[in-house]
């Protein structure tokens, strides 16, 4: 249904008519899919449905100007657009609704996302990048309203940068930066903070971004009068509008039911953004929701009779139909025939999607029931037929119904032994393992491009290497990295002109240019979004968040978007964004946090690296730039002025991501730590030796991935005692480490005494030296806690200290 036409070319009436009727076919098909989709939910075949009804027509107009190389960052209403650019079929809409887990049938997420969350593949099957310049691209939708905006900024920013930057394979992603990033957002979602944050940034940077606001006057039940100042988002945004003297947005408004106006408006928006790199807002008004917000409720509950009547009359599909007839393009008879064909087609594809979905499940049930029958014949004392009849009478079974039935049978037969029971157990294990691949895989990169592909290269020192401040090492390493990787760009608050607040980028803007090392406004969420979008378009961005404490502003986007991206696209998209920040030991409530537990519980899907010094940190950047992985690196704030030897092979030497490092040998107690507290542990260990305690110190370096070569377990086999020290809250990252060691790696068996964690207090750290001493673990605390473990184990030789 490719519907690109050259809107400036004179065409014959027949060609025009053909185009119009093709467009009409798409909107009618799309509407019918919405109507039948909703019915599938109400009849229980699907769990939840949200559709693009009432927004069909503007999406046809948008699709006409959407070119290869362009990107969409939108939301759940865009099914008509996806159909119009040939990236979504009716069968796929229904496969999504049923949560078919076959990626070939449900290419958006292999059943992981609810329907109507769209994307196009950006990676080939081997994990290599597709040439997005040859494709019509969509970044992957998420449900959180407004969260498509931050990444939209990066998608647009990439075009801006590509106008001036050229690198090895940049032609795979761009044609001189002429690509537009197209955003779509609902009227109510413009109330979200990130919407305004991104708008401001896009206006400042003048990037080729076109944001369509689908305005149906509602956000579920809440009307514009309760959502938006002046009840009108384009009016509210008038201060963002460009003038003859000042740069800003072009703001266009159009009614969503007017086919010719929509086509003209989108042509205009496209020209302005593509050629001039001016961002554009298209406020599409007077849209409707013919079947309400979603399948979870009816809009008759909150819309007045008059509004419902108005929506019927102003339905964009109805108006398009009227326009076709009024302008003599077609007639009633021809349109009825088109509509009837569309309905038939949707019904056929719906049925096909259902058959494709349910057939393998029915086959699984059949296989299982055969095993159950054999089991029944063997164990006649048990009424296993009951299980069979219960399962057989389910008309549309889920995999859960089958597996749960089988697991219950095993429990019933707990006191029996037979080959038949063994067969059923094997079947359960094999079926469950298959499901792991389907539901629990691809949280992290599993392609050959992942961190495991990076070989260890040791730092090389020569005899003349002098010790310098850590920040010099990291700066020189960044300098070398920028020369080596021409698609590397670094940006953040104060990162450009002064080279970051700790001068780890000092002077690098002068050397590498203000496009590659640059300042950004104070807007953490959209700094991260910018990084995500740039990473999707071939750049290797390092997005800098000034302090770890301020990562919280970006945590929602990191968690909802970046962390889920690879998983939710079943490995078809990845954003190898590196987030650089610094944290741990400064002073005060908002400058010394170490909320690692918060990160660990919200950022699964992103690597979390915690270097103790700048050589180690540099090695991590070097490794990450050799592979395709999203990661957060938290540099130690008090590490910039520590003296270290600078390696000769800057940008080359690597750290094996996920490997811990043994810092000191010992045989009585294992102390595990990372980051700034690691140095305290090293100091404490010297005094502990004087007290007769021999400590083995392990720096985990990476929290995700974690201790891949099991250094901690190896150490426990020797010491049989464990202390974990960090400056997160009690129950934070130290408990994560404990769970990994004790439960996941089965470390319990090697312990002779209770494992302990030593953390900061539960409150944010108080200010000043004493605030720190009484809030966070000190050397004294570490000595006493490690010693207490020895005291518990052997009180005769280690008498109580305090
Ligand atoms: C952050 C967040 N808050 C709330 C919701 C629940 N929610 C889903 S859609 C929606 C309304 C969105 O309205 P609008 O932006 O106008 O889009 P429409 O559905 O009308 O096209 C809400 C509140 C959500 N998904 N995400
Ligand atoms: Mg709305």
């Amino acid at each position: 249904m490719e519907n690109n036409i050259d809107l400036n070319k004179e065409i014959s009436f027949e060609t025009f008519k053909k185009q119009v009727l093709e467009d009409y076919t798409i909107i009618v098909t799309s509407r019918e899919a919405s109507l039948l989709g909703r019915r599938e939910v109400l009849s229980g075949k699907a769990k939840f449905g949200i559709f693009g009804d009432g927004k069909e027509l503007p999406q046809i107009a948008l699709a006409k100007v959407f070119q290869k190389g362009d990107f969409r960052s939108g939301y759940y209403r865009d099914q008509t657009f996806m159909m119009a650019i040939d990236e979504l079929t009716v069968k796929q809409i229904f496969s999504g609704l049923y949560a078919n887990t076959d990626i070939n049938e449900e290419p958006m997420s292999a059943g992981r996302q609810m329907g109507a969350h769209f994307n196009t593949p950006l990676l080939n099957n081997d994990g290599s990048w597709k040439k997005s310049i040859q494709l019509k691209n969509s970044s992957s939708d998420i449900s959180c309203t407004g969260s498509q905006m931050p990444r939209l900024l990066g998608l647009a920013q990439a075009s801006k940068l590509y106008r001036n930057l050229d690198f090895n394979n940049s032609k795979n992603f761009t044609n001189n930066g002429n690509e537009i990033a197209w955003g779509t957002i609902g009227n109510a979602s413009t109330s979200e903070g990130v919407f305004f944050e991104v708008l401001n940034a896009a206006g400042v940077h003048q990037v080729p971004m076109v944001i369509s606001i689908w305005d149906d006057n509602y956000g579920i039940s809440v009307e514009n009068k309760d959502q938006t100042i002046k009840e009108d988002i384009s009016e509210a945004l008038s201060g963002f509008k460009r003038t003859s003297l000042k740069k800003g947005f072009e703001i266009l408004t159009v009614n969503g039911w007017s086919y010719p106006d929509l086509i003209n408006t989108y042509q205009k928006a496209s020209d302005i953004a593509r050629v001039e790199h001016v961002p554009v807002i298209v406020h599409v008004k007077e849209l409707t929701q013919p079947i309400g917000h979603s399948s979870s409720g009816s809009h008759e509950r909150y819309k007045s009779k008059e509004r419902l009547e108005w929506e019927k009359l102003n339905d964009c599909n109805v108006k398009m139909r009227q326009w076709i007839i009024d302008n003599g393009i077609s007639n009633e008879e021809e349109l009825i025939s088109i509509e009837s064909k569309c309905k038939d087609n949707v019904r056929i594809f719906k049925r096909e999607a259902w058959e494709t979905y349910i057939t393998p499940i029915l086959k699984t049930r059949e296989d299982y029931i055969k095993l159950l029958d054999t089991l029944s014949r063997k164990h006649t004392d048990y009424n296993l037929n009951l299980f069979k009849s219960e399962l057989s009478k389910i008309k549309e079974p889920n995999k859960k119904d089958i597996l749960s039935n089988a697991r219950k049978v095993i429990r019933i037969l707990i006191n029996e032994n037979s080959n038949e029971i063994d067969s059923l157990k094997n079947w359960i294990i094999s079926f469950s393992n298959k499901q792991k691949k389907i539901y629990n895989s691809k949280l992290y990169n599993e392609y050959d491009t992942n961190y495991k592909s990076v070989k260890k290269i040791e730092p090389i020192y020569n005899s003349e290497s002098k010790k310098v401040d850590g920040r010099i090492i990291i700066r020189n390493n960044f300098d070398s990295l920028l020369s080596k990787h021409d698609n590397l760009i670094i940006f953040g608050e104060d990162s450009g002109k002064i080279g970051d607040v700790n001068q780890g980028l000092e002077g690098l803007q002068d050397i590498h240019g203000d496009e590659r090392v640059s300042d950004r406004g104070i807007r953490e969420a959209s700094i991260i979004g910018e990084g995500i979008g740039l990473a999707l378009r071939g750049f290797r961005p390092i997005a800098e968040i000034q302090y770890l404490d301020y990562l919280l502003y970006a945590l929602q986007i990191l968690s909802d978007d970046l962390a889920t991206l690879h998983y939710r696209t079943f490995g078809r998209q990845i954003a190898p964004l590196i987030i650089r920040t610094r944290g741990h030991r400064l002073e005060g409530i908002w400058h010394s946090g170490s909320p690692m537990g918060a990160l660990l519980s919200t950022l699964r899907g992103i690597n979390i690296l915690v270097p103790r010094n700048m050589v180690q940190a540099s090695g991590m950047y070097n490794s990450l730039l050799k592979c395709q992985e999203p990661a957060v690196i938290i540099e130690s704030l008090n590490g910039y002025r520590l003296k270290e030897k600078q390696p000769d092979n800057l940008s080359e030497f690597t750290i094996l991501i996920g490997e811990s490092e043994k810092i000191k040998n010992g045989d009585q107690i294992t102390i595990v730590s990372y980051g700034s507290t690691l140095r305290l542990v090293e100091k404490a260990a010297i005094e502990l030796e004087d007290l007769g305690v021999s400590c083995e110190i392990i720096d985990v370096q990476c929290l995700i991935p974690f201790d891949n070569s099991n250094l901690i377990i190896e150490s426990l086999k020797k010491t049989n005692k464990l202390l974990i020290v960090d400056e997160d809250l009690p129950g934070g990252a130290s408990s994560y480490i404990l769970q990994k060691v004790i439960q996941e790696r089965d470390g319990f068996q090697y312990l002779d005494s209770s494992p302990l964690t030593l953390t900061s207090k539960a409150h944010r750290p108080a200010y000043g030296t004493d605030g720190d001493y009484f809030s966070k673990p000190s050397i004294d605390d570490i000595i006493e806690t490690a010693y207490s473990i020895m005291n518990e184990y052997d009180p005769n030789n280690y008498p109580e200290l305090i």
Side-chain angles (χ1 to χ4, degrees):
M1 291 190 189
E2 186 85 25
N3 73 343
N4 261 6
I5 50 169
D6 185 344
L7 294 162
N8 298 318
K9 230 165 69 188
E10 292 274 324
I11 51 171
S12 69
F13 175 75
E14 276 315 307
T15 313
F16 175 66
K17 173 177 174 176
K18 184 167 167 283
Q19 188 60 59
V20 169
L21 292 187
E22 273 176 22
D23 288 346
Y24 187 64
T25 303
I26 299 175
I27 65 170
V28 172
T29 304
S30 178
R31 174 67 59 88
E32 193 58 22
S34 303
L35 294 171
L36 282 197
R38 182 176 164 87
R39 243 192 273 160
E40 290 302 270
V41 179
L42 300 183
S43 75
K45 275 186 173 157
K47 266 244 146 121
F48 175 77
I50 191 155
F51 304 98
D53 51 294
K55 321 277 187 295
E56 291 91 345
L57 202 54
Q59 296 182 22
I60 289 285
L62 196 168
K64 284 187 192 300
V65 287
F66 191 94
Q67 293 186 5
K68 287 186 175 158
D70 286 359
F71 267 79
R72 162 188 173 275
S73 183
Y75 79 118
Y76 50 78
R77 293 288 179 219
D78 295 345
Q79 81 192 34
T80 314
F81 170 78
M82 293 302 290
M83 290 167 80
I85 63 162
D86 259 353
E87 289 296 338
L88 180 71
T89 66
V90 173
K91 189 180 177 200
Q92 287 165 354
I93 292 177
F94 285 94
S95 295
L97 207 56
Y98 305 137
N100 191 323
T101 54
D102 180 346
I103 187 72
N104 299 313
E105 295 296 333
E106 203 289 89
M108 300 303 155
S109 73
R112 290 179 173 190
Q113 289 224 69
M114 49 177 62
H117 291 67
F118 306 112
N119 73 72
T120 58
L122 298 179
L123 299 180
N124 294 308
N125 290 338
D126 62 356
S128 60
W129 286 88
K130 286 182 181 290
K131 296 180 178 174
S132 64
I133 191 63
Q134 296 172 1
L135 302 166
K136 295 188 173 179
N137 309 287
S138 175
S139 59
S140 164
D141 297 355
I142 62 179
S143 295
C144 327
T145 48
S147 292
Q148 66 274 41
M149 296 299 295
R151 99 175 83 86
L152 178 68
L153 180 64
L155 295 170
Q157 180 76 13
S159 291
K160 175 100 182 161
L161 292 172
Y162 276 131
R163 278 267 159 99
N164 296 321
L165 296 178
D166 213 0
F167 51 80
N168 190 13
N169 61 347
S170 57
K171 297 281 175 289
N172 292 346
F173 299 96
T174 192
N175 170 20
N176 193 32
N178 288 335
E179 303 75 32
I180 294 177
W182 300 88
T184 68
I185 185 165
N187 53 300
S189 302
T190 63
S191 303
E192 295 282 8
V194 280
F195 175 76
F196 290 93
E197 191 178 312
V198 166
L199 234 56
N200 179 54
V204 168
H205 291 288
Q206 291 289 290
V207 289
M209 168 193 291
V210 179
I211 302 169
S212 296
I213 301 167
W214 305 145
D215 191 347
D216 57 13
N217 197 49
Y218 284 85
I220 310 187
S221 65
V222 183
E223 293 177 53
N224 277 350
K225 69 179 169 59
D226 296 318
Q227 292 276 6
T228 306
I229 187 164
K230 300 182 179 178
E231 295 183 42
D232 183 316
I233 188 67
S234 48
E235 196 183 335
L237 294 177
S238 57
F240 285 74
K241 205 169 161 52
R242 65 174 172 169
T243 64
S244 55
L245 294 178
K246 291 194 175 169
K247 290 178 176 167
F249 267 80
E250 181 65 42
I251 300 181
L252 307 173
T253 57
V254 60
N255 285 328
W257 42 259
S258 172
Y259 181 71
D261 288 349
L262 284 163
I263 287 177
N264 287 334
T265 304
Y266 274 98
Q267 182 67 62
K268 192 169 167 192
S270 170
D271 290 345
I272 294 171
R274 205 179 295 283
V275 180
E276 298 175 50
H277 273 193
V278 169
V280 182
I281 287 165
V282 182
H283 182 191
V284 183
K285 298 179 168 188
E286 300 206 355
L287 289 170
T288 66
Q289 284 182 357
I291 57 174
H293 172 77
S294 69
S295 60
S296 16
S298 75
H299 58 158
E300 284 82 6
R301 279 179 306 159
Y302 50 77
K303 285 180 186 162
S304 66
K305 264 200 192 123
E306 294 72 37
R307 172 72 195 185
L308 288 166
E309 197 49 41
W310 181 90
E311 288 204 11
K312 270 195 195 126
L313 295 174
N314 290 281
D315 180 325
C316 60
N317 286 19
V318 172
K319 286 257 197 183
M320 164 83 168
R321 191 181 200 281
Q322 197 57 48
W323 177 83
I324 292 171
I325 289 178
D326 289 350
N327 287 280
I329 299 165
S330 180
N331 54 42
E332 196 64 35
E333 198 185 333
E334 194 175 23
L335 293 183
I336 287 173
S337 151
I338 289 175
E339 287 153 6
S340 142
K341 266 191 218 136
C342 291
K343 283 184 185 177
D344 288 348
N345 269 339
V346 172
R347 235 173 283 131
I348 290 166
F349 287 124
K350 183 200 78 163
R351 208 173 307 130
E352 269 184 27
W354 177 254
E355 290 304 320
T356 315
Y357 163 76
I358 200 70
T359 304
I361 298 180
L362 294 178
K363 169 82 173 59
T364 302
R365 178 166 71 177
E366 241 172 63
D367 292 348
Y368 165 63
I369 283 180
K370 271 185 210 149
L371 284 174
L372 198 54
D373 283 341
T374 328
L375 211 56
S376 289
R377 286 195 290 276
K378 175 78 185 179
H379 297 280
T380 46
D381 292 351
Y382 298 85
N383 188 6
L384 297 181
N385 273 332
L386 202 66
F387 286 88
K388 177 179 172 177
S389 63
E390 243 179 42
L391 185 60
S392 305
K393 71 175 181 238
I394 301 176
K395 214 168 126 225
E396 284 137 12
N398 290 308
K399 287 187 261 187
K400 175 188 168 191
D401 299 319
I402 305 166
L403 187 59
S404 184
N405 188 295
R407 292 166 84 177
K408 193 151 185 202
V409 167
I410 291 294
R411 295 200 288 272
I412 298 278
L413 296 173
I414 181 131
N415 295 318
E416 306 292 336
N417 277 312
S418 70
N419 289 340
E420 288 75 4
I421 293 178
D422 288 345
S423 299
L424 180 58
K425 284 185 181 170
N426 287 337
W427 181 88
I428 289 175
I429 292 168
S430 146
F431 185 69
S432 303
N433 283 341
K434 272 189 214 147
Q435 304 317 307
K436 275 189 195 151
K437 283 204 179 120
I438 290 173
Y439 294 102
N440 312 124
S441 64
K442 299 181 193 285
L443 176 57
Y444 299 95
N445 185 351
E446 293 173 10
Y447 299 114
D448 291 343
T449 55
N450 70 8
Y451 72 84
K452 290 180 187 152
S453 64
V454 180
K455 303 276 171 296
K456 173 82 184 163
I457 301 175
E458 295 289 346
I460 298 170
Y461 299 96
N462 67 53
S463 53
E464 278 142 42
S465 301
K466 276 201 263 98
K467 283 196 165 184
V468 292
D469 281 356
R471 72 119 190 143
I472 301 285
I473 296 175
I474 203 150
R475 187 203 59 187
N476 292 347
N477 193 68
F478 278 132
D479 186 12
S480 181
L481 280 172
L482 282 157
S483 301
K484 183 171 164 182
H485 300 276
D486 49 10
N487 58 353
L488 171 62
I489 55 167
I490 309 178
F491 55 90
E493 296 154 18
D494 303 291
S495 305
K497 223 182 302 166
I498 63 165
D500 92 44
V501 281
N502 294 84
Q503 296 179 291
L505 298 165
E506 187 196 14
L508 300 189
Q509 187 177 68
D510 292 338
I511 301 172
H512 300 281
D514 59 6
E515 270 161 334
R516 298 193 61 204
V517 182
S518 47
D519 287 318
R520 290 293 181 271
I522 308 177
R523 47 175 183 78
E524 288 77 10
S526 58
I527 285 177
I528 294 302
E530 201 177 327
I532 298 172
L534 286 166
L536 293 174
R537 290 201 58 199
F539 283 93
R540 287 307 309 259
I542 296 181
E544 185 165 315
I545 298 294
Q546 204 153 70
Y547 294 112
L548 176 57
D549 304 71
Y550 308 133
L551 195 71
L552 297 191
Y553 272 65
L555 199 59
Q556 183 265 324
I557 280 301
L558 281 169
S559 180
D560 288 328
D561 197 359
L562 185 61
T564 64
L565 178 66
H566 202 60
Y567 177 80
R568 74 180 191 262
T569 59
F570 200 68
R572 288 158 51 117
Q573 293 196 358
I574 197 163
L577 163 65
I578 302 172
I579 294 112
R580 175 184 189 220
T581 187
R582 48 191 76 82
H584 316 311
R585 224 132 186 134
L586 192 63
E587 280 169 7
I589 294 175
W590 298 279
H591 292 87
S592 57
S594 194
M596 306 309 302
L599 269 54
L600 285 165
S601 57
T602 50
L603 301 186
R604 301 296 166 103
I606 301 176
N607 299 290
I608 300 181
L609 313 184
V610 280
R612 69 180 179 280
N613 61 39
M614 297 304 146
V615 170
Q616 205 182 17
S618 300
M620 289 173 178
Y621 290 108
N622 300 344
S623 296
L624 285 170
L625 286 165
K626 289 176 199 243
C627 61
Q628 304 275 340
E629 299 267 2
V632 180
I633 299 187
I634 298 149
E635 295 167 16
S636 288
L637 245 173
N638 57 4
Y640 295 113
R641 273 189 241 137
L642 283 180
K643 304 283 183 209
E644 296 177 58
K645 270 191 168 184
Q646 176 170 303
D648 282 353
N649 52 344
L650 290 172
S651 78
E652 273 304 318
F653 69 93
T654 58
I655 294 289
L656 286 183
I657 310 274
E659 297 291 317
S660 304
E661 189 183 331
K662 194 193 287 179
I663 302 294
K664 177 185 168 304
N665 266 315
D667 52 23
Q668 285 176 304
I669 182 167
T670 303
I671 306 186
V672 174
S673 192
Y674 60 88
S676 297
T677 47
L678 200 277
R679 278 191 294 282
L680 302 185
V681 170
E682 281 180 289
K683 286 184 182 146
I686 296 168
E687 257 198 68
L688 279 162
E689 293 286 338
D690 295 342
L691 291 167
V693 183
S694 159
C695 310
E696 182 140 303
I697 303 176
I698 293 181
D699 177 7
V700 294
Q701 303 189 92
C702 305
L703 293 169
I704 299 176
F706 183 80
D707 193 20
N708 281 343
S709 50
N710 263 336
L711 221 55
I712 301 174
I713 293 291
E714 288 311 310
S715 178
L716 289 186
K717 284 182 186 168
K718 188 168 52 166
T719 66
N720 313 116
K721 292 173 219 69
L722 175 64
L723 171 63
I724 300 165
V725 182
D726 78 354
E727 52 185 286
D728 192 7
L729 310 181
S734 59
S735 300
Y736 163 85
I737 295 175
L738 204 58
Q739 187 269 343
K740 287 272 178 200
V741 175
I742 302 300
Q743 187 181 334
E744 191 182 289
R745 315 282 163 103
D746 210 11
F748 185 70
Q749 58 182 312
Y750 305 113
L751 290 178
D752 285 345
S753 63
S754 307
L756 291 186
T757 62
L758 175 63
T759 65
S760 74
K761 301 290 186 291
H763 53 79
R764 301 271 184 110
Y767 174 65
T769 303
D770 285 345
D772 178 86
Y773 186 76
F774 291 105
S775 303
K776 291 201 167 186
S778 64
I779 294 174
D780 299 325
D781 296 329
I782 298 169
I783 294 169
E784 286 169 12
T785 312
Y787 188 89
S788 76
I789 295 178
M790 297 307 297
N791 166 257
E792 186 215 323
Y793 172 73
D794 181 2
N796 288 334
N797 282 316
Y798 298 93
E800 202 168 13
L801 205 51
I802 294 178

